[in-house]
Amino acid sequence: MKKDKQHERTIDGALLDVDYINVGDRSKIRLTLKSSDGKTYEIFDESFRPYFYLVHDGTVSDFSSFDSSGKQIRPANVELCARSLFGKAINASKIMLDNASDVPRLSSSLASIGTPYENDIPFAKRYIIDKSIVPMNPYRFSFIESDNTLSLSDVDNSDLPAPVFSVMFFDIEVYNPLGAVRADKDPVIMISYAFRSGDKRKEGVLTTKRIGLDYVSTHATETELIKGFMALVKELDPDIIVGYNSSGFDIKYLLDRSAVLKIDFNLGRFSGQTRIESHGLVTKVKIPGRIHVDMFVVVKFISVVGASESILKINSKTLKNVYEAITGERKFAVEKLDIFKLWDGTDDDLKTLATYNMADTYALEKVYDTFIPIMMELSRITYNVLSDVCVSTTGQLVEFMLMHSSRLANEIIPNKPSEGESKARLSDPIEGAYVKTPEPGIYDNLVMFDFRGLYPSIIIAYNIDPSNICTDCSDYYESPDGVRFSKARKSIMPELLQMMINQRAEVKKAYKKDPKNIFLGSRSMALKIVSNSFYGYLGYARSRWYSRACASSVTAYGRQYIKDVMARADAQGMRVIYGDTDSLVMLMGGKSKEDALRFMKEYNTTLPGSMELELEDFYRRGVFVGKKTDKTESGAKKKYALISESGKIKIRGFELVRRDWSKIARDTQRMVLEAILKEGDKNVAAGIVTKAVEALRKGTVPMSDLVINTQLRKSIEGYDLKSPELAAARRAVKEGLKRRDEVEGAVIGYIITKRGGSAISDRAVLAEFATDYDPDYYINKQVIPATMRILKELNFNEDELKGLGTQKKLM
């Protein structure tokens, strides 16, 4: 036989993605590498095997077993390893196999003679954990080329900058005569795209009708349109494919529609199929050799972690709303129900539809550029590939970091809890933070302080980690809960957090000198997101590193410090009117700014480690509202509005930042708050409400301002109560206006109309189908309740705001 020619080569580039393929009975790791010269490589690491650990008593000579089909599974190799588990030294057998699918089978069989660990870690993730390769960072990859197959031999750091990744944005339009689209009947009519790679750019719209626009190309049939899109992806060869709700709609619809048309739809760069996978509570599109990013999922993540004030304020995370929130510009749009009409219309209608399709892709590109740098930095920080980071929760990101650090520290990764263990943890909740509720009212001359990274600082300062809990140690920290943490060793969590806090301090310094540097700003935010998530992960019932003792100790220390700083402030003559978790608001009274800053500086000398009290800002006025209980009324938590001396307004907890209130209620409440904060005039504030009430009675309020948004989290048959959003969704499905899969799990926008029964739910109609509204409902159940929570502190009553009476008493 002729011997294969082998060549040793090296490339400088970055890891884009990791997966694996099966060749015969062997599972082989496959790396997608982007080189510095712009080329992409498929490289296999055939030396890496799937494995798990078995902790067992006694000597076991035979680790083979039979699966349920009677097939014998034999390990490829077994090694005895010294490891630790939660700080305790143990011996474990490392059982290596040829095929990744044999890991759960064999570990399940061997559970009768020991405890398997790390048997549920996906093979590709296992590789990243063990190899410590930072995705998207520059490396020098050495490999052997033989018969067009590249086999990895070594990885080393590279001095060259990371390569530029090519990106393709896309959006599809579907014919929708019934509003809801049907994959078995309704064709894809347009696909817009924008591709960029360095200085190279290409964009356009693919469709099946001739349209007089330069960027539109025409295909004879829908089949040719879809095949044309696949050919375009192959030609342009993007590293990253980006859509908006593309895992839930665009790619899913292309897959479903292609099945109807008998097309093998695949956007892959290498062997394997484009498919949709379940990833926790979200779906993930897997494209071999490429990364798929669904920016809708990313935007929801950014909103949840509070990384963008602009999108926190919007109720519905549509592409249009997100684009307009981050740019301040209006996006070109058409009504969804008009898409099929435009398709069936005139030449000008077709141009309008193509313009809209292209505008979606332009908007998507802007949203991507705004938020993806944060996700890329999260990928680098957590050692996780971008495609997984973009569908992960903060807890999953923390968990992956801990897995990687465990491997470096020779610690076995703990198992996930059973369903029974998770339920038991949930039944024993942890006492939370201390909150001092305010006396409702309007206050002048305020200062707000907060602890910088309080919970991470506590974990570091007191060496809090499940492996550090001790009962017989002589040198320890003892929490207010009575839990002891050994001082003898620094464990994974405190060390990781200290590293991230140090990194962030350096990044913030550099960012102050270079505030336009997107990389530095994104890295700072990414470090903040992950470090602030460690406490939550410790107390999460499904966490591998769950520890009630650790989590309760963190909050106990937190309560101790917030109470202590409040007591010291009161002793200094600065009255604390509100405190929550890690922040406090004080009345300055006769104290100067210098007095307040001196108090902060002196208090910081009493704090351990990196813990620090920081100035949030000085405020000239603030509004704190009440909360009704069965017997009394007290101040509400996290519900206030403040205006700084520079005029910046800080609003927390009011209806204007919640989507389940109408825009008219939220806007009126905002204007009332701004009038009080800026002008200090109660009559101007009351006049805003009476004006809104009058407009509602006259019927001059736009229908779009009356929409109430609520998410349906269950099946429309899965609710016992008949809520307005449920009634509106059920009615639309019954009348054939919507499909069940369109409303279930979706954010439902509805309007309360005049027509129907006496119950509110009988008059709820999906916003897109509503033709009138009930002014009494919006006055009595929306605008008045939203504003009375503020204006009652100024001694107004409901009748006055409705124009039905006069003020009972003066301030």
PDB file of all heavy atoms in Angstrom, residues 740-759:
ATOM      1  N   ARG A 740     -52.269  28.587  17.769  1.00  0.00           N
ATOM      2  CA  ARG A 740     -51.902  28.414  19.177  1.00  0.00           C
ATOM      3  C   ARG A 740     -50.417  28.638  19.394  1.00  0.00           C
ATOM      4  O   ARG A 740     -50.011  29.268  20.368  1.00  0.00           O
ATOM      5  CB  ARG A 740     -52.285  27.013  19.669  1.00  0.00           C
ATOM      6  CG  ARG A 740     -53.760  26.862  19.997  1.00  0.00           C
ATOM      7  CD  ARG A 740     -54.060  25.517  20.610  1.00  0.00           C
ATOM      8  NE  ARG A 740     -53.369  25.320  21.873  1.00  0.00           N
ATOM      9  CZ  ARG A 740     -53.669  24.367  22.748  1.00  0.00           C
ATOM     10  NH1 ARG A 740     -54.661  23.533  22.498  1.00  0.00           N
ATOM     11  NH2 ARG A 740     -52.997  24.237  23.870  1.00  0.00           N
ATOM     12  N   ASP A 741     -49.581  28.129  18.492  1.00  0.00           N
ATOM     13  CA  ASP A 741     -48.145  28.254  18.697  1.00  0.00           C
ATOM     14  C   ASP A 741     -47.664  29.701  18.557  1.00  0.00           C
ATOM     15  O   ASP A 741     -46.559  30.044  18.967  1.00  0.00           O
ATOM     16  CB  ASP A 741     -47.374  27.349  17.729  1.00  0.00           C
ATOM     17  CG  ASP A 741     -47.586  27.732  16.274  1.00  0.00           C
ATOM     18  OD1 ASP A 741     -48.702  28.151  15.922  1.00  0.00           O
ATOM     19  OD2 ASP A 741     -46.637  27.605  15.492  1.00  0.00           O
ATOM     20  N   GLU A 742     -48.505  30.576  17.973  1.00  0.00           N
ATOM     21  CA  GLU A 742     -48.141  31.981  17.861  1.00  0.00           C
ATOM     22  C   GLU A 742     -48.379  32.751  19.160  1.00  0.00           C
ATOM     23  O   GLU A 742     -47.722  33.747  19.433  1.00  0.00           O
ATOM     24  CB  GLU A 742     -48.947  32.654  16.749  1.00  0.00           C
ATOM     25  CG  GLU A 742     -48.426  32.369  15.365  1.00  0.00           C
ATOM     26  CD  GLU A 742     -49.050  33.308  14.348  1.00  0.00           C
ATOM     27  OE1 GLU A 742     -50.289  33.305  14.252  1.00  0.00           O
ATOM     28  OE2 GLU A 742     -48.312  34.037  13.671  1.00  0.00           O
ATOM     29  N   VAL A 743     -49.323  32.293  19.960  1.00  0.00           N
ATOM     30  CA  VAL A 743     -49.667  33.033  21.177  1.00  0.00           C
ATOM     31  C   VAL A 743     -49.094  32.394  22.430  1.00  0.00           C
ATOM     32  O   VAL A 743     -48.783  33.091  23.399  1.00  0.00           O
ATOM     33  CB  VAL A 743     -51.206  33.195  21.320  1.00  0.00           C
ATOM     34  CG1 VAL A 743     -51.755  34.037  20.181  1.00  0.00           C
ATOM     35  CG2 VAL A 743     -51.917  31.844  21.376  1.00  0.00           C
ATOM     36  N   GLU A 744     -48.951  31.071  22.432  1.00  0.00           N
ATOM     37  CA  GLU A 744     -48.453  30.400  23.630  1.00  0.00           C
ATOM     38  C   GLU A 744     -46.961  30.676  23.813  1.00  0.00           C
ATOM     39  O   GLU A 744     -46.160  30.461  22.917  1.00  0.00           O
ATOM     40  CB  GLU A 744     -48.718  28.898  23.549  1.00  0.00           C
ATOM     41  CG  GLU A 744     -50.202  28.587  23.656  1.00  0.00           C
ATOM     42  CD  GLU A 744     -50.522  27.104  23.595  1.00  0.00           C
ATOM     43  OE1 GLU A 744     -49.639  26.308  23.210  1.00  0.00           O
ATOM     44  OE2 GLU A 744     -51.664  26.752  23.915  1.00  0.00           O
ATOM     45  N   GLY A 745     -46.630  31.198  24.981  1.00  0.00           N
ATOM     46  CA  GLY A 745     -45.250  31.570  25.269  1.00  0.00           C
ATOM     47  C   GLY A 745     -44.865  32.932  24.747  1.00  0.00           C
ATOM     48  O   GLY A 745     -43.746  33.397  24.962  1.00  0.00           O
ATOM     49  N   ALA A 746     -45.799  33.600  24.062  1.00  0.00           N
ATOM     50  CA  ALA A 746     -45.508  34.899  23.466  1.00  0.00           C
ATOM     51  C   ALA A 746     -45.982  36.034  24.371  1.00  0.00           C
ATOM     52  O   ALA A 746     -46.789  35.846  25.279  1.00  0.00           O
ATOM     53  CB  ALA A 746     -46.183  35.012  22.098  1.00  0.00           C
ATOM     54  N   VAL A 747     -45.469  37.237  24.098  1.00  0.00           N
ATOM     55  CA  VAL A 747     -45.966  38.433  24.772  1.00  0.00           C
ATOM     56  C   VAL A 747     -47.241  38.867  24.053  1.00  0.00           C
ATOM     57  O   VAL A 747     -47.226  39.159  22.857  1.00  0.00           O
ATOM     58  CB  VAL A 747     -44.928  39.566  24.747  1.00  0.00           C
ATOM     59  CG1 VAL A 747     -45.528  40.843  25.330  1.00  0.00           C
ATOM     60  CG2 VAL A 747     -43.689  39.156  25.518  1.00  0.00           C
ATOM     61  N   ILE A 748     -48.346  38.871  24.780  1.00  0.00           N
ATOM     62  CA  ILE A 748     -49.646  39.196  24.217  1.00  0.00           C
ATOM     63  C   ILE A 748     -49.947  40.672  24.453  1.00  0.00           C
ATOM     64  O   ILE A 748     -49.900  41.157  25.580  1.00  0.00           O
ATOM     65  CB  ILE A 748     -50.764  38.343  24.878  1.00  0.00           C
ATOM     66  CG1 ILE A 748     -50.513  36.860  24.612  1.00  0.00           C
ATOM     67  CG2 ILE A 748     -52.133  38.767  24.386  1.00  0.00           C
ATOM     68  CD1 ILE A 748     -50.550  36.486  23.159  1.00  0.00           C
ATOM     69  N   GLY A 749     -50.253  41.396  23.379  1.00  0.00           N
ATOM     70  CA  GLY A 749     -50.684  42.778  23.491  1.00  0.00           C
ATOM     71  C   GLY A 749     -52.184  42.851  23.267  1.00  0.00           C
ATOM     72  O   GLY A 749     -52.681  42.407  22.228  1.00  0.00           O
ATOM     73  N   TYR A 750     -52.917  43.391  24.234  1.00  0.00           N
ATOM     74  CA  TYR A 750     -54.375  43.443  24.098  1.00  0.00           C
ATOM     75  C   TYR A 750     -54.901  44.818  24.503  1.00  0.00           C
ATOM     76  O   TYR A 750     -54.218  45.613  25.174  1.00  0.00           O
ATOM     77  CB  TYR A 750     -55.041  42.349  24.922  1.00  0.00           C
ATOM     78  CG  TYR A 750     -54.864  42.483  26.421  1.00  0.00           C
ATOM     79  CD1 TYR A 750     -55.788  43.185  27.201  1.00  0.00           C
ATOM     80  CD2 TYR A 750     -53.757  41.920  27.061  1.00  0.00           C
ATOM     81  CE1 TYR A 750     -55.600  43.322  28.568  1.00  0.00           C
ATOM     82  CE2 TYR A 750     -53.573  42.042  28.422  1.00  0.00           C
ATOM     83  CZ  TYR A 750     -54.493  42.745  29.181  1.00  0.00           C
ATOM     84  OH  TYR A 750     -54.322  42.892  30.530  1.00  0.00           O
ATOM     85  N   ILE A 751     -56.133  45.096  24.088  1.00  0.00           N
ATOM     86  CA  ILE A 751     -56.827  46.344  24.423  1.00  0.00           C
ATOM     87  C   ILE A 751     -58.190  45.994  25.005  1.00  0.00           C
ATOM     88  O   ILE A 751     -58.857  45.058  24.535  1.00  0.00           O
ATOM     89  CB  ILE A 751     -56.983  47.231  23.171  1.00  0.00           C
ATOM     90  CG1 ILE A 751     -55.614  47.782  22.751  1.00  0.00           C
ATOM     91  CG2 ILE A 751     -57.973  48.368  23.407  1.00  0.00           C
ATOM     92  CD1 ILE A 751     -55.626  48.574  21.457  1.00  0.00           C
ATOM     93  N   ILE A 752     -58.604  46.708  26.036  1.00  0.00           N
ATOM     94  CA  ILE A 752     -59.939  46.522  26.612  1.00  0.00           C
ATOM     95  C   ILE A 752     -60.908  47.406  25.819  1.00  0.00           C
ATOM     96  O   ILE A 752     -60.774  48.631  25.800  1.00  0.00           O
ATOM     97  CB  ILE A 752     -59.969  46.886  28.107  1.00  0.00           C
ATOM     98  CG1 ILE A 752     -58.923  46.077  28.871  1.00  0.00           C
ATOM     99  CG2 ILE A 752     -61.360  46.654  28.680  1.00  0.00           C
ATOM    100  CD1 ILE A 752     -59.072  44.586  28.780  1.00  0.00           C
ATOM    101  N   THR A 753     -61.860  46.757  25.163  1.00  0.00           N
ATOM    102  CA  THR A 753     -62.788  47.462  24.276  1.00  0.00           C
ATOM    103  C   THR A 753     -64.136  47.719  24.964  1.00  0.00           C
ATOM    104  O   THR A 753     -64.367  47.297  26.093  1.00  0.00           O
ATOM    105  CB  THR A 753     -63.020  46.630  23.002  1.00  0.00           C
ATOM    106  OG1 THR A 753     -63.701  45.417  23.356  1.00  0.00           O
ATOM    107  CG2 THR A 753     -61.697  46.285  22.333  1.00  0.00           C
ATOM    108  N   LYS A 754     -65.023  48.401  24.254  1.00  0.00           N
ATOM    109  CA  LYS A 754     -66.361  48.695  24.779  1.00  0.00           C
ATOM    110  C   LYS A 754     -67.292  47.502  24.638  1.00  0.00           C
ATOM    111  O   LYS A 754     -68.273  47.382  25.364  1.00  0.00           O
ATOM    112  CB  LYS A 754     -66.975  49.880  24.025  1.00  0.00           C
ATOM    113  CG  LYS A 754     -66.230  51.185  24.174  1.00  0.00           C
ATOM    114  CD  LYS A 754     -66.903  52.255  23.317  1.00  0.00           C
ATOM    115  CE  LYS A 754     -66.155  53.578  23.387  1.00  0.00           C
ATOM    116  NZ  LYS A 754     -66.781  54.597  22.508  1.00  0.00           N
ATOM    117  N   ARG A 755     -67.007  46.641  23.678  1.00  0.00           N
ATOM    118  CA  ARG A 755     -67.931  45.566  23.326  1.00  0.00           C
ATOM    119  C   ARG A 755     -67.663  44.303  24.132  1.00  0.00           C
ATOM    120  O   ARG A 755     -66.528  43.999  24.434  1.00  0.00           O
ATOM    121  CB  ARG A 755     -67.819  45.260  21.833  1.00  0.00           C
ATOM    122  CG  ARG A 755     -68.053  46.490  20.963  1.00  0.00           C
ATOM    123  CD  ARG A 755     -67.746  46.206  19.512  1.00  0.00           C
ATOM    124  NE  ARG A 755     -67.759  47.437  18.725  1.00  0.00           N
ATOM    125  CZ  ARG A 755     -67.498  47.500  17.435  1.00  0.00           C
ATOM    126  NH1 ARG A 755     -67.194  46.387  16.783  1.00  0.00           N
ATOM    127  NH2 ARG A 755     -67.536  48.651  16.796  1.00  0.00           N
ATOM    128  N   GLY A 756     -68.729  43.578  24.443  1.00  0.00           N
ATOM    129  CA  GLY A 756     -68.593  42.333  25.186  1.00  0.00           C
ATOM    130  C   GLY A 756     -69.347  42.393  26.494  1.00  0.00           C
ATOM    131  O   GLY A 756     -70.158  43.299  26.747  1.00  0.00           O
ATOM    132  N   GLY A 757     -69.088  41.425  27.366  1.00  0.00           N
ATOM    133  CA  GLY A 757     -69.786  41.337  28.643  1.00  0.00           C
ATOM    134  C   GLY A 757     -69.269  42.347  29.658  1.00  0.00           C
ATOM    135  O   GLY A 757     -68.434  43.208  29.365  1.00  0.00           O
ATOM    136  N   SER A 758     -69.749  42.202  30.878  1.00  0.00           N
ATOM    137  CA  SER A 758     -69.379  43.139  31.928  1.00  0.00           C
ATOM    138  C   SER A 758     -67.961  42.874  32.459  1.00  0.00           C
ATOM    139  O   SER A 758     -67.290  43.788  32.937  1.00  0.00           O
ATOM    140  CB  SER A 758     -70.383  43.052  33.090  1.00  0.00           C
ATOM    141  OG  SER A 758     -70.431  41.721  33.592  1.00  0.00           O
ATOM    142  N   ALA A 759     -67.509  41.627  32.391  1.00  0.00           N
ATOM    143  CA  ALA A 759     -66.173  41.289  32.875  1.00  0.00           C
ATOM    144  C   ALA A 759     -65.114  41.870  31.934  1.00  0.00           C
ATOM    145  O   ALA A 759     -65.300  41.916  30.711  1.00  0.00           O
ATOM    146  CB  ALA A 759     -66.008  39.784  32.973  1.00  0.00           C
TER     147      ALA A 759
END
